[in-house]
């Protein structure tokens, strides 16, 4: 089970791929995946696409399957396929899904930082220098970004570090923390 086509797509390219829908955003994942392999969207009987989404999935060549996946087949971490509730077996090289995510720490909430809704979980609201809505408090990485990536986290950390230093320097010089 994989979560991100940009992280893992190349590892499983040119094989039949599946999306196990467990989230309203799953169809979006299925729209991306055909660039790595022929894709089946498993609605699990819970996230059937509306007519517009079904048309876009069809335009991308995505097969829609409503019988739920009940079993993964193969020897982990390899995957041979999935068994469906109606007994059929579909050969697949990988299944993507959107794991439920929660913040690892309540620190930002305890400090009173504002959050913005994100596709997976709320992200700490930050400005261009990665300062949160609490003056002098900076945030970077997954906790403060709707898109989760090592490169973005590192880049945001550089900016947040510079922002925090400049805020401390301004305060030491007699001013208020940068806003
Ligand atoms: C399975 C998987 C595969 C991925 N593959 C890729 C990939 O191929 N390429 C890519 O760019 N991104 C990938 N990502 C995303 C990438 O891992 C994250 O975007 C990145 O690690 C975010 O960095 P971060 O520093 O914000 O958070 P993290 O890397 O999660 O670091 C946060 C750290 O804070 C620590 N921590 C948490 N709470 C506390 C606390 N209260 N006190 C002290 N420490 C605490 C945690 O232990 C952790 O070490 C993948 C993610 C997953 C889950």
């Amino acid at each position: 089970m994989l979560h991100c086509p940009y992280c893992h797509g190349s590892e499983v390219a040119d094989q039949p791929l599946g999306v196990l829908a467990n989230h309203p955003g799953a169809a979006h994942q299925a729209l991306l995946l055909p660039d790595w392999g022929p894709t089946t969207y498993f609605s699990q009987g819970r996230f059937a696409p509306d007519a517009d989404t079904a048309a876009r999935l069809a335009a991308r060549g995505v097969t829609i399957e409503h019988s739920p996946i009940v079993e993964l087949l193969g020897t982990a971490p390899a995957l041979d396929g999935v068994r469906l509730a109606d007994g059929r077996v579909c050969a697949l090289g990988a299944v993507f899904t959107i794991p439920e995510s929660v913040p690892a720490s309540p620190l930002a909430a305890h400090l009173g930082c504002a959050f913005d809704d994100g596709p997976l979980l709320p992200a700490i609201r930050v400005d261009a220098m990665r300062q949160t809505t609490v003056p002098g408090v900076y945030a970077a990485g997954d906790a403060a970004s709707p898109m989760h990536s090592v490169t973005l986290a590192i880049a945001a950390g550089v900016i947040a570090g510079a922002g925090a230093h400049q805020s401390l320097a301004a305060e030491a010089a007699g001013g208020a923390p940068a806003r």
Side-chain angles (χ1 to χ4, degrees):
M1 299 293 294
L2 303 172
H3 77 298
C4 170
Y6 300 115
C7 299
H8 300 287
S10 64
E11 297 163 14
V12 296
D14 303 322
Q15 303 180 70
L17 305 174
V19 171
L20 189 159
N22 65 336
H23 186 279
H28 172 70
Q29 205 173 40
L31 286 166
L32 303 177
L33 272 178
D35 291 324
W36 286 275
T39 301
T40 302
Y41 175 78
F42 296 89
S43 76
Q44 297 298 93
R46 296 171 57 216
F47 297 99
D50 60 24
D52 175 58
T53 306
R56 288 188 292 127
L57 289 168
R60 292 284 281 154
V62 175
T63 303
I64 299 175
E65 177 62 65
H66 294 296
S67 185
I69 293 173
V70 294
E71 186 180 0
L72 303 178
L73 305 172
T75 305
L79 182 75
D80 296 333
V82 295
R83 193 185 314 281
L84 306 182
D86 65 10
R88 285 178 294 140
V89 168
C90 295
L92 293 175
V95 175
F96 286 74
T97 197
I98 299 176
E100 184 181 345
S101 302
V102 293
S105 164
L107 186 59
H110 284 177
L111 290 170
C113 299
F115 288 76
D116 290 317
D117 283 338
L120 301 177
L121 76 170
I124 302 167
R125 186 180 303 160
V126 289
D127 65 15
M129 288 306 289
R130 303 300 183 266
Q131 184 172 223
T132 71
T133 52
V134 177
V137 176
Y138 291 74
D142 284 5
S145 169
M147 188 169 183
H148 296 174
S149 140
V150 169
T151 316
L152 294 178
I154 292 169
V158 173
I159 298 171
H165 173 247
Q166 289 170 28
S167 175
L168 291 168
E171 212 174 348
R179 271 231 57 96

